[in-house]
């Protein structure tokens, strides 16, 4: 089952004719994803290695039954690209683009509140259901099908986590990079809730970082709703306050958004949090074991 | 991107928000003239990208032009260290010489993003001139937070509600409504991530005035905020940070000795955390980014190597978009170019890891290869430790 | 029971200090409505014949538990007044103001889609639940409590209808003037649905006019959902095309919005439509009789 | 409020929408000069507030300056009757002399309010130059209707979809996107209730151009559209309509002999319907409005009495906001002032009905009182019928 994407997902790439769009569109197809169309305004009629290109997302939906969009549109036009996907009837948009102005995302966030489309990202590596479908820029070969759901605000740190998990024999149901921006379409809680209801997922690994309060909010939700073991890691324990650590959303400001508070909140909700990034698979195993014991006890 | 107080006040002025009369000066001589123009009695304020100036002598109230010159002599062209600057402080290259205005009350007003709701919010408090976060923690009922629906925007009735919360009525309430709406226009027009007036004062004459002004612009929107983008003051950054920014490399100077080069912000933070866990101190945060080409990676190495504090380097790459062999080739090219003899620990995983390792092993450099993050961090820390 | 307002409604008048606001605020109170507050920016602290005036609707809600607003704010600020009521937690706003720019109402209409407040009007005479509560400018003395719900796009024509009904012994449960503008907050269908579910209402009189397609839409709804007899009248059979007949919304343009089409649509749905405005009470009686017979038959 | 074609094109031009080169002229002499400037070959278009000009000679294609002058002689300063003007036509006081542009295709584009959704909508068709409503009825698949979410507004991607629907691609699609976005800006900036380009043409040179232009401004927004409000051309209205508008009285001149004075738009329409049911013909629609004072009512009577077609008057008042005695007093004052001897039937109901009746019965006027609408209408019709 997995969540969000599977072998039936039909993907349109917004910005397919740009260098990143083309490269990752083809890599996704190589992985086995059904990449059915591309969209670049003014380039309708072209094709990229057999993938037809249209001027509008509406055409990709109408003519190729696309239901998932992967967005590589540059920052000045990216927010509008998300809105276009929403209006065209796309079910899931995955926005890889980094550097979209916050004001644009405030509007997108508001508009998507009234629409049925789910947005992942922006400024995210996308997501993968190993063995079935990849929508994003994640390296394919580190993933293994399995029972662990992964959700993360980060990119390469997620790959690190996934490699540790795979090496430890813990394959993944779906890995979702939700993005490092201050405003993102899908939160930890959204993904946790999906994993909670997903029969293929037995435990969840959560990767957070400094900035905002999404991990604290997730911690509360986990305490109240989560029926599966959760382990995690929070990056940025040593980050100096007031500095934006690469991601637009990764900043400790005025005493809020600190890693220590997030770790405490998660532990308070029973989440196994790794002391350092070398121990990510270990805490996941520990969480699974504890749940198993608790399960046997009950 | 932060603006200086004088830049923020220039913006406010354009939007019709009252600010004190002032002169921006860059020398002792100019300071004296500006003070003369205000009959000697004025406030001299160091222009740096950090708060906490008042407590360390960066904001000086003087009565004569002579005192103003003394203050300028003490402040200009040297670093000012405040609670927010870090230990090295920030250089004071200009001063704002401002008229003194008798104040009846001090209030607080700001607009910024509320991340939880994904909307902008207007924050107000009748308790101004002090740290708003502290007020919010200790007496939350004294802070009003209004999140703004982008469909409707900030309206006069919202502003009237805020004026009431601030205890303003009559003509002052009307002034407050106009000021709040003007501040919001400024915020949106300029793609600000923060506009803050602390304190917003009620003068003894019964008017509102922005006594201080803090504005930050959304870095992601600078492409469409040309005017403000040109106001960037590079003297307020470490020269290596300025240089990194030009190549679109996320780089932050820190206090330790271990230079770090990582791809990805999260992994870079995790690498610093791992180093610290092993007892090491990073000299920097450096995320070379996702789509880096060889030029960018070479420049990143140059930046590390030009930092005199760096005594050893930790490279942590998880190949995905970025190929490990490209990183290896860049490392070799950079080292050759700059002539690097520092110890380097390299950890690579993911795409083309094997090819990268091969390249590095063939190069004649002081490189140790490690497979895992923990051992890589431990290795560079060990190498830099004094022999027992 | 009646609909929308009753003796418990607590009314704030936005624009109470203006001449119309003051006059009708006091007339409503004279009728027995609980007029608990007024709002005029900059006049907070005043009182109008004992009714306290505030600067914001939020204060009227907070301090006087107002739940219904009657809006007399001039056109340039009226749309914002509606939005203010919505944000302050008002349950029902009745906007009397005529001449609000359409562009402002497009925004209000969109904003109210996301909010729980119902808007009646603008450009309407308000509504009355005879014997209990009046919110608007309708003349009080023609109304009698009774079983007929009245819904109308018009003002004085409604009074004409009500007088005919009252004279014929047909009192009213609630009379609602929904307003003569092209964009109004509450449609015929909204009010018909409420009357359909109201135990005190036995039949409905509907007064339409040229312009738009609200009557045609109501006709379809009636055919599919209405369980109570409906009679009605449509004004403007003789109106020349292309001319705005007083109301901003009353215009036949390009063959749409004609009275004849509306009458046909309503009759097609079993509504008794009066041949002329002198026969309004008669068609209502006829509709009630037919329903009665149908009721006995079944 | 309707604009003239030349005014609409002036607006379009300001928003960057291409229109033909043209000259507005008001005399035969000017017409000849304008035609000369276009080398004789041009189109002469009568400027009136109605469509259907082409079919009745109001749009003339000429080859020489002499022909242009002939057309001007025939058109200027007399009424032009089209299918949309009513039997008396509208006066032609100016002509637009326009260059002739070779056309490859004719399209249709407009923005207006969609009442059902309460949103603006963009209507487009590849079939231009003909009646859009007819196209929509006969071949609905050839008309695209896009309702616009005011939160998001009309965006480039919407415009691209419309360009595609219109069968435009390549550089023409790009031009179409720009034109549609410009048209939308114009629509919103100017509080329009309609902007229509019919036909929007693709020229033989391969560009888009607004061959005709229709713009109406939302009457309710004129208070904030000062410039456009000043463009009102009062010659396009009946003088009595112009006069009524000045007093904020809703008045429409019609073809019959019975002057009507009513309060409320719905009741006024119903009164006309009732009259017609009784075989009468109204001379006008007149809604004196809700909050009328005596001055306004007196002016309304004056307008009725100054219409030479009026042979009798029907007054129908439902007192609510308006008191019947005020109407009665105004009627008496106006009749006295103007010296009215026409038969008047008065029907009043509601507030102060009794007092109003008393006043009227004491006055020495040719007034018949009626209690009911039907009998009042019948009475005035009867009075004006020729004796049997």
């Amino acid at each position: 089952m997995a969540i969000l994407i599977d072998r039936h997902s039909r993907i349109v790439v917004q910005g397919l004719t740009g260098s990143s769009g083309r490269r990752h569109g083809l890599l996704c197809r190589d992985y086995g994803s059904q990449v059915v169309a591309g969209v670049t305004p003014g380039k309708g009629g072209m094709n990229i290695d057999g993938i037809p290109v249209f001027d509008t997302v509406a055409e990709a939906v109408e003519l190729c039954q696309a239901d998932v969009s992967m967005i590589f549109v540059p920052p000045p036009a990216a927010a509008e690209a998300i809105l276009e996907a929403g209006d065209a009837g796309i079910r899931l948009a995955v926005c890889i683009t980094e550097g979209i102005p916050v004001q644009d995302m405030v509007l997108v966030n508001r508009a998507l509140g009234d629409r049925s489309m789910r947005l992942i990202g922006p400024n995210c590596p996308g997501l993968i259901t190993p063995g079935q479908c990849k929508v994003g820029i994640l390296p394919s070969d580190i993933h293994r099908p399995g029972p662990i759901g992964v959700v993360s605000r980060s990119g390469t740190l997620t790959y690190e986590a996934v490699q540790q998990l795979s090496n430890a024999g813990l394959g993944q149901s779906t890995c979702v990079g939700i993005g490092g921006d201050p405003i993102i379409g899908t939160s930890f809680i959204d993904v946790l809730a999906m994993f909670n209801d997903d029969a293929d997922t037995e435990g969840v690994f959560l990767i957070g970082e400094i900035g905002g309060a999404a991990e604290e909010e997730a911690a509360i939700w986990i305490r109240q709703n989560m029926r599966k073991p959760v382990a995690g890691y929070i990056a940025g324990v040593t980050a100096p306050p007031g500095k934006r650590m690469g991601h637009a959303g990764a900043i400790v400001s005025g005493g809020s958004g600190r890693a220590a508070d997030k770790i405490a909140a998660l532990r308070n909700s029973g989440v196994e949090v790794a002391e350092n990034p070398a121990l990510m698979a270990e805490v996941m195993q520990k969480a699974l074991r504890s749940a198993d014991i608790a399960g046997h006890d009950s | 991107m932060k603006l200086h107080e004088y830049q923020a006040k220039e913006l406010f002025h354009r939007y019709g928000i009252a600010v004190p009369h002032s002169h921006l000066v860059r020398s002792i001589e100019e300071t004296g003239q500006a003070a003369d123009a205000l009959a000697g009695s004025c406030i001299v304020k160091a222009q740096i990208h950090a708060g906490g100036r008042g407590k360390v002598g960066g904001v000086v109230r003087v009565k004569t032009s002579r005192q103003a010159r003394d203050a300028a002599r003490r402040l200009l062209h040297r670093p000012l260290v405040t609670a927010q600057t870090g230990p090295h402080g920030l250089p004071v290259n200009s001063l704002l010489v401002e008229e003194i205005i008798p104040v009846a009350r001090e209030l607080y007003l700001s607009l910024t993003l509320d991340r939880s709701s994904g909307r902008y919010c207007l924050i107000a408090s009748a308790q101004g001139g002090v740290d708003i976060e502290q007020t919010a923690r200790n007496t939350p009922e004294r802070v009003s937070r209004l999140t703004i629906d982008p469909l409707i925007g900030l309206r006069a009735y919202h502003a009237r509600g805020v004026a009431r919360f601030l205890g303003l009525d009559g003509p002052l309430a009307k002034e407050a409504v106009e000021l709040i709406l003007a501040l919001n226009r400024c915020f949106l027009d300029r793609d600000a991530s923060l506009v803050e007036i602390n304190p917003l004062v009620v003068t003894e004459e019964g008017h509102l005035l922005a006594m201080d002004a803090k504005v930050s612009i959304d870095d992601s929107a600078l492409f469409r905020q040309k005017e403000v983008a040109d106001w960037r003051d590079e003297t307020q950054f470490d020269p290596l940070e300025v240089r990194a920014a030009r190549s679109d490399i996320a780089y932050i100077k820190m206090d330790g000795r271990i230079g770090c080069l990582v791809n990805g912000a999260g992994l870079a933070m995790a690498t610093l955390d791992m180093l610290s866990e092993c007892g090491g101190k990073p000299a920097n945060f450096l995320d070379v980014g996702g789509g880096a080409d060889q030029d960018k990676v070479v420049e990143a190495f140059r930046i590390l190597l030009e930092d005199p504090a760096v005594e050893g380097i930790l490279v942590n790459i998880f190949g995905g978009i970025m190929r490990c062999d490209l990183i290896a080739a860049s490392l070799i090219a950079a080292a050759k170019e700059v002539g690097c003899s520092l110890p380097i620990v390299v950890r690579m995983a993911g795409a083309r890891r094997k090819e990268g390792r091969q390249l590095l092993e063939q190069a004649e450099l002081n490189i140790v290869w490690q497979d895992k993050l923990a051992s890589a961090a431990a290795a560079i820390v060990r190498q830099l430790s004094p022999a027992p």
Side-chain angles (χ1 to χ4, degrees), chain A, chain B:
Chain A
M1 207 168 88
I3 64 168
L4 291 164
I5 54 169
D6 59 22
R7 61 184 88 254
H8 305 295
S9 303
R10 297 178 68 81
I11 299 152
V12 53
V13 181
Q14 289 178 258
L16 180 66
T17 60
S19 66
S20 296
R22 180 194 173 99
R23 180 168 165 214
H24 291 287
L26 296 178
L27 282 172
C28 286
R29 188 173 67 173
D30 292 347
Y31 189 71
S33 308
Q34 296 193 57
V35 180
V36 297
V39 168
T40 303
K43 305 236 167 132
M46 275 183 65
N47 83 75
I48 295 289
D49 207 14
I51 304 169
V53 176
F54 302 100
D55 286 323
T56 62
V57 179
E59 288 168 277
V61 171
E62 187 188 316
L63 302 173
C64 305
Q65 293 78 50
D67 67 339
V68 173
S69 175
M70 176 162 73
I71 301 175
F72 281 94
V73 174
E80 198 161 292
I82 298 170
L83 294 172
E84 176 174 4
D87 278 0
I90 289 290
R91 175 180 64 79
L92 175 72
V94 181
C95 185
I96 312 298
T97 310
E98 177 173 4
I100 304 178
V102 171
Q103 196 171 159
D104 296 5
M105 283 308 301
V106 167
L107 179 68
V108 166
N109 175 62
R110 173 67 170 83
L112 294 185
D114 302 324
R115 283 164 174 75
S116 59
M117 184 180 80
R118 171 169 295 287
L119 169 69
I120 308 252
N123 190 14
C124 79
L127 68 167
I128 187 169
T129 293
Q132 295 196 44
C133 183
K134 173 173 103 156
V135 180
I137 60 175
L138 315 92
S140 310
D141 53 355
I142 54 173
H143 295 87
R144 302 280 175 274
I148 304 298
V150 177
V151 57
S152 170
R153 280 170 67 186
S154 178
T156 45
L157 180 55
T158 315
Y159 316 159
E160 175 77 36
V162 165
Q163 188 167 62
Q164 288 185 24
L165 291 170
S166 291
N167 287 348
L170 295 171
Q172 303 91 44
S173 53
T174 304
C175 300
V176 186
I178 58 174
D181 268 6
I183 299 182
I184 49 178
T186 294
S187 68
F188 281 127
I189 293 175
D190 296 328
V191 179
L192 285 165
M194 289 184 263
F195 282 139
N196 213 14
D197 294 337
D198 174 37
D200 291 349
T201 302
E202 292 171 18
V204 177
F205 195 78
L206 179 155
I207 302 162
E209 63 188 31
I210 55 166
E215 292 81 359
E216 287 88 333
E217 291 162 10
I220 294 171
W221 191 91
I222 288 169
R223 190 163 60 225
Q224 294 170 344
N225 303 285
M226 197 71 192
R227 298 182 304 271
K228 301 178 181 179
V230 181
Y233 172 68
I234 304 293
V237 176
T238 56
K243 300 282 187 183
R244 198 161 107 163
M245 305 300 279
H247 287 159
I251 183 166
V252 174
S253 53
S256 82
R258 287 185 300 195
D261 298 336
K262 294 170 186 295
I263 293 168
L266 287 167
R267 287 193 173 143
N268 216 7
S269 294
V271 176
E272 291 286 346
V273 182
E275 284 293 336
N276 72 57
L279 303 173
M280 295 194 281
E282 285 179 37
V283 289
M284 189 71 246
Q285 286 173 315
K286 196 172 161 199
L288 290 169
R289 276 198 305 272
S290 308
D292 206 32
I293 294 165
H296 283 291
D297 280 355
S298 70
Chain B
M1 170 193 152
K2 289 177 185 168
L3 300 190
H4 280 302
E5 178 192 1
Y6 78 89
Q7 295 166 331
K9 284 182 171 170
E10 162 65 22
L11 272 190
F12 283 5
H13 174 69
R14 290 197 208 165
Y15 284 86
I17 297 170
V19 295
H21 289 292
S22 66
H23 304 269
L24 183 74
V25 298
R26 298 182 185 276
S27 69
I28 299 165
E29 191 51 37
E30 284 176 16
T31 308
Q33 287 163 2
D36 280 339
L38 296 168
S41 181
C42 60
I43 301 176
V44 177
K45 299 164 101 173
Q47 299 297 290
I48 55 169
H49 279 184
R53 298 169 301 173
K55 290 185 185 140
V56 294
V59 176
V60 191
R61 203 181 168 109
V62 300
K63 287 189 177 148
T64 65
S65 157
R66 176 184 215 116
Q67 287 174 343
R69 293 165 65 96
D70 287 348
R73 194 170 293 118
R74 201 164 39 73
L75 287 169
L76 270 175
H77 308 306
R78 54 189 74 177
L80 184 66
V81 180
T82 82
Q84 294 176 25
T85 57
H88 306 299
L90 287 170
V92 180
N93 295 315
S94 59
L95 302 169
L96 194 61
V97 179
E98 241 176 31
E99 66 174 328
I100 293 176
I101 287 171
V103 168
R105 290 180 58 198
E106 295 194 335
L107 313 169
Y108 176 93
L109 202 61
S110 72
L111 276 158
T112 189
L113 178 70
D114 174 58
R115 288 172 62 155
S116 291
S117 65
R119 297 185 179 188
Y120 292 124
C121 68
L122 176 68
I123 303 171
S125 173
Q127 210 161 340
V130 294
D131 179 24
I132 187 70
E133 318 229 0
Q134 211 166 331
T135 311
R137 258 193 306 278
N138 301 339
T139 51
E141 72 284 0
R142 294 202 183 164
V143 177
S144 125
R145 286 178 68 95
L146 173 84
T147 58
I148 300 164
D149 181 347
L151 171 64
I152 291 178
L154 182 70
R155 297 281 181 152
Y157 63 86
H158 296 124
R160 280 196 289 275
V162 170
R164 177 184 158 227
F165 179 83
L166 293 175
L168 304 173
D169 50 22
L172 265 175
K174 223 180 136 194
E175 263 188 45
V177 169
E178 279 163 24
L179 185 144
I180 289 167
L181 295 178
L183 193 68
N184 185 54
R185 272 195 301 280
C186 175
F187 182 82
L188 295 176
D189 284 358
R190 302 300 177 147
D191 271 305
S193 50
L194 171 73
V195 296
E196 183 181 66
I197 309 181
N198 187 23
L200 168 69
V201 302
V202 180
T203 64
E204 284 188 356
E205 290 181 348
H207 291 291
L208 287 174
L209 183 137
M211 195 62 105
D212 200 353
K214 198 187 267 181
V215 171
S216 294
I217 307 298
D218 175 12
D219 291 301
S220 296
L222 289 176
F223 69 86
R224 64 187 182 199
Q225 294 293 344
K226 298 290 184 207
E227 183 193 13
V228 179
D230 285 344
W231 290 359
R232 179 186 294 277
D233 177 2
E234 294 192 335
T235 69
Q236 297 295 304
F237 300 87
D238 185 285
L240 291 176
E241 290 182 9
V242 173
R243 186 167 157 188
R246 281 195 199 120
S247 299
D248 201 24
I249 296 166
Y251 174 91
I252 294 163
K253 183 80 190 82
M254 296 173 76
D255 286 336
R257 300 182 296 157
I258 304 171
C260 296
L261 189 154
V262 191
N263 68 327
L267 190 61
M269 277 187 273
T271 305
L272 304 193
D273 293 349
M274 191 75 235
L275 262 181
S276 149
E277 179 89 2
C278 298
K281 280 195 143 190
N284 63 276
F285 167 97
L286 191 158
D287 166 17
V288 76
D293 55 12
Q294 180 153 341
D295 285 352
K296 195 166 162 186
V297 178
V298 170
E299 174 67 1
F301 274 111
R302 281 198 209 104
I303 288 168
L304 288 190
L305 296 173
E306 289 195 13
D307 178 357
V310 167
E311 297 175 12
I313 290 174
L314 173 60
V315 175
N316 183 20
I317 298 297
F318 206 109
I321 311 179
M322 178 164 291
R323 288 156 32 206
C324 291
D325 55 348
L326 175 114
I327 295 279
S330 308
L331 174 56
I332 295 164
K336 198 171 283 173
E337 182 191 312
V338 190
C340 166
S341 59
L342 297 179
I344 303 176
V345 173
V346 176
R347 185 268 178 155
M348 289 181 179
R352 299 248 191 189
R353 174 179 165 282
K354 221 186 293 176
E355 291 83 345
R357 178 166 190 171
Q358 221 158 27
L359 278 175
L360 290 176
E361 283 175 346
Q362 286 159 4
E364 290 178 13
L365 283 168
N366 183 6
I367 286 180
V368 174
W369 179 272
Q370 290 287 344
D371 272 338
K372 302 214 157 166
L373 176 52
S375 52
I380 190 68
V381 170
R382 205 179 317 115
Q383 287 210 36
L384 296 196
S385 301

